[in-house]
Amino acid sequence: MSKPYDLVVIGTGVAAMSTALTVRAAGRTVAIIDHRPYGGTCALRGCDPKKVLVGAVQAVDHVQRLSSRGVEGESFIDWPGLIAFKRSFTDPVPEQRQQTYAQKGIDMYHGWARFTGRDSLSVDGEDLSARQVLLATGAEAVPLPIAGAEHLVTSEGFMSLTALPKRIVLVGGGYIAAEVSCIAALAGAQVTVLQRSPRLLPPFDADLVGWLMNAFQAHGIEVRTNMQVEAIERNESNERNEKNGSAFRVNASSAGQRVLFEADLVLHAAGRAPDWGPLNLDAAGIETDQGRLRLNEYLQSVSNPAVYAAGDAAQAGPPLTPVASHDAQVVAVNLLQGNQRKPDYFAVPSVAFSIPPIASVGLSEAKAREQGLRFRVSSQLASDWYTARQQAEPVYGFKILIEENTGRILGAHLVGPHADEVINIFALAIRQRLNADTLKSMIFAYPTGSSDIESML
Ligand SMILES: Cc1cc2nc3c(=O)[nH]c(=O)nc-3n(C[C@H](O)[C@H](O)[C@H](O)COP(=O)(O)OP(=O)(O)OC[C@H]3O[C@@H](n4cnc5c(N)ncnc54)[C@H](O)[C@@H]3O)c2cc1C
């Protein structure tokens, strides 16, 4: 006998939790499933624990920058202490989430969910049937087609290390590489980033990434671009003598030349995508196209209308927590009232929490040109501005795109102190279609990161 539910939610991250609670609050019966501890990526293995580590190395970096400027004494990262602090955030999450679901009357299952039919699933030996299903299964590090890929450690593994390895090589050059390389380098590791494309952080503005690379250099991070990683080998002889030798050798090539890197840890920072394998989507008639679910504009499967998706699993918007949360709100309405709402990803800000952070919202310069828009660019490396000097952080710059005639802000790109906060003001302006004059007329508290906006415009 299968147990019937109005909604079965697969996953317990941001997308899953928000939808499950809203649908349950409307009186429907809901089951939720995860094969890992409850809480999802952001709270347990992503944004939140990462920002704890970022905050700590930021403090060390700040002290170092202010040295000889009135701040003396050495500060350094005590890695085990920092990981224990991180765990004070992550450890309580699964229990807290389970308590919430229990209080709300949501049935919990632990195990891999697997479709057995169009409206039926099995989990941990139990059969469930569902009037509707939400796929909120997130993403995983993509399998890399390189020999020795089994030696790669993910960002999750990195954030759980009990000791910081001496030499860390990162494979990939996106957000995770930028963030983890700064954390590891400022915590005392020797860090090398191997990026296949010509620069790090391809989604961000090339000029700003160029300025950011000066900070990476100051942190001692070696960034090697146009570098194709081919194999990771364990150094058997050195394993017995780790004091002198490294544990791994990373084989790479660049412009036809073979290059070797020694590493004690090799980190996967080469992208994440949903892993559909365990779900047996075929049994439910859920179609995918090149690894992506085939969804309509209401985030509903085009081949099985009982099934919706949200967050990283849907891949409809950028793979970010606020997007997962937005998708969940949209899907909850559609589940309860029929297809009413479509997601709106206009002006979603994104931040890489490197040291210093880099942030972006709206159109890139290239996209704005592609669209034939007429705009002016206000851009500067502003190392001599007060904000930069007061923080002793020379990497401080911006690029703002302002449409001719309308004065509409099309895109904002920031790097340096407060970029991660000030980007939200630009996101507000772009999403609400405010023009540059309106934003300039704001009276911002001074001296703050936002009080530079008038000069940026
Ligand atoms: C290191 C790192 C740092 C990040 N930093 C940021 C950041 O600073 N800001 C930001 O906005 N975003 C960040 N992200 C991205 C963000 O974490 C994700 O976009 C967000 O968590 C996605 O939420 P979700 O609900 O879609 O999926 P998830 O939170 O990933 O939840 C999916 C859940 O489904 C479960 N699951 C999967 N398949 C099955 C199955 N078959 N059966 C049962 N359970 C299953 C998984 O175990 C998982 O718990 C970061 C991600 C990483 C990895």
Side-chain angles (χ1 to χ4, degrees):
M1 262 294 281
S2 67
K3 192 154 180 202
Y5 289 97
D6 290 325
L7 175 68
V8 169
V9 176
I10 313 176
T12 59
V14 175
M17 182 172 184
S18 170
T19 314
L21 293 175
T22 310
V23 172
R24 178 68 193 128
R28 301 220 178 150
T29 55
V30 178
I32 195 161
I33 309 172
D34 208 311
H35 69 97
R36 306 190 67 177
Y38 277 28
T41 303
C42 184
L44 297 175
R45 312 178 275 280
C47 340
D48 293 355
K50 178 220 35 214
K51 194 84 189 282
V52 174
L53 306 193
V54 166
V57 297
Q58 225 164 15
V60 169
D61 180 55
H62 204 167
V63 168
Q64 285 169 1
R65 280 186 277 116
L66 291 179
S67 134
S68 313
R69 294 178 172 95
V71 176
E72 295 309 333
E74 239 195 288
S75 69
F76 58 89
I77 294 294
D78 159 37
W79 187 262
L82 179 55
I83 294 302
F85 182 49
K86 181 216 80 167
R87 289 188 59 175
S88 73
F89 292 83
T90 52
D91 283 0
V93 171
E95 183 56 35
Q96 286 167 353
R97 296 285 162 94
Q98 289 187 201
Q99 276 175 14
T100 303
Y101 294 130
Q103 278 163 9
K104 301 293 177 191
I106 293 174
D107 285 355
M108 289 169 269
Y109 293 88
H110 299 267
W112 287 96
R114 190 177 157 77
F115 285 96
T116 50
R118 280 185 81 79
D119 59 359
S120 56
L121 301 111
S122 74
V123 54
D124 199 22
E126 298 211 46
D127 293 324
L128 315 182
S129 66
R131 227 164 42 77
Q132 293 175 310
V133 176
L134 174 68
L135 289 171
T137 44
E140 296 293 335
V142 292
L144 295 183
I146 55 177
E150 68 276 11
H151 300 308
L152 286 163
V153 168
T154 61
S155 50
E156 177 185 2
F158 171 77
M159 290 195 274
S160 306
L161 291 169
T162 49
L164 186 69
K166 205 164 116 199
R167 281 159 292 196
I168 301 180
V169 168
L170 291 97
V171 180
Y175 289 77
I176 291 180
E179 295 173 343
V180 170
S181 61
C182 288
I183 294 168
L186 285 160
Q190 194 181 310
V191 177
T192 305
V193 182
L194 306 180
Q195 161 73 324
R196 197 168 46 174
S197 56
R199 65 178 174 92
L200 285 202
L201 294 168
F204 289 88
D205 182 86
D207 292 336
L208 272 70
V209 172
W211 298 333
L212 180 63
M213 289 303 101
N214 295 333
F216 275 52
Q217 206 175 8
H219 303 325
I221 301 169
E222 184 187 10
V223 176
R224 303 288 297 266
T225 52
N226 299 310
M227 193 59 73
Q228 183 77 42
V229 173
E230 279 156 7
I232 302 161
E233 291 165 15
R234 192 183 267 284
N235 273 338
E236 299 294 349
S237 55
N238 288 334
E239 227 183 342
R240 279 174 252 121
N241 183 12
E242 281 191 17
K243 265 195 189 136
N244 304 320
S246 63
F248 300 102
R249 180 174 295 159
V250 181
N251 293 274
S253 69
S254 182
Q257 299 286 318
R258 205 163 156 245
V259 199
L260 291 180
F261 298 90
E262 298 293 331
D264 301 304
L265 182 90
V266 191
L267 200 131
H268 185 311
R272 291 165 53 81
D275 175 13
W276 301 123
L279 279 157
N280 195 25
L281 296 180
D282 286 348
I286 301 167
E287 290 176 8
T288 59
D289 183 15
Q290 298 181 10
R292 302 172 86 92
L293 292 171
R294 290 191 59 223
L295 301 176
N296 64 20
E297 54 196 351
Y298 300 99
L299 301 178
Q300 181 186 35
S301 163
V302 296
S303 53
N304 183 341
V307 175
Y308 285 76
D312 286 4
Q315 292 176 288
L320 296 169
T321 290
V323 168
S325 175
H326 175 75
D327 284 357
Q329 289 167 18
V330 167
V331 165
V333 170
N334 295 341
L335 286 165
L336 291 169
Q337 299 170 21
N339 288 346
Q340 300 276 330
R341 274 193 72 187
K342 301 172 189 172
D344 174 6
Y345 305 119
F346 177 58
V348 175
S350 66
V351 177
F353 292 92
S354 49
I355 314 284
I358 184 165
S360 171
V361 63
L363 294 178
S364 66
E365 200 177 342
K367 272 266 152 52
R369 289 197 199 292
E370 247 172 63
Q371 293 184 13
L373 294 166
R374 295 190 52 221
F375 59 96
R376 72 181 172 87
V377 178
S378 173
S379 182
Q380 189 179 333
L381 175 62
S383 312
D384 58 344
W385 286 20
Y386 172 79
T387 303
R389 289 179 47 226
Q390 177 260 337
Q391 297 254 337
E393 173 55 88
V395 177
Y396 184 55
F398 59 89
K399 183 178 281 186
I400 317 291
L401 317 181
I402 302 152
E403 193 172 38
E404 305 277 7
N405 303 330
T406 64
R408 228 167 26 115
I409 299 168
L410 301 173
H413 310 274
L414 311 173
V415 65
H418 315 300
D420 50 338
E421 289 293 346
V422 176
I423 203 66
N424 288 320
I425 308 256
F426 282 106
L428 176 78
I430 296 177
R431 203 164 157 97
Q432 298 305 321
R433 280 125 176 128
L434 304 181
N435 65 26
D437 285 342
T438 310
L439 201 54
K440 270 161 87 173
S441 71
M442 275 296 301
I443 300 176
F444 289 112
Y446 179 86
T448 60
S450 308
S451 58
D452 281 348
I453 288 176
E454 191 183 349
S455 308
M456 290 180 184
L457 292 168

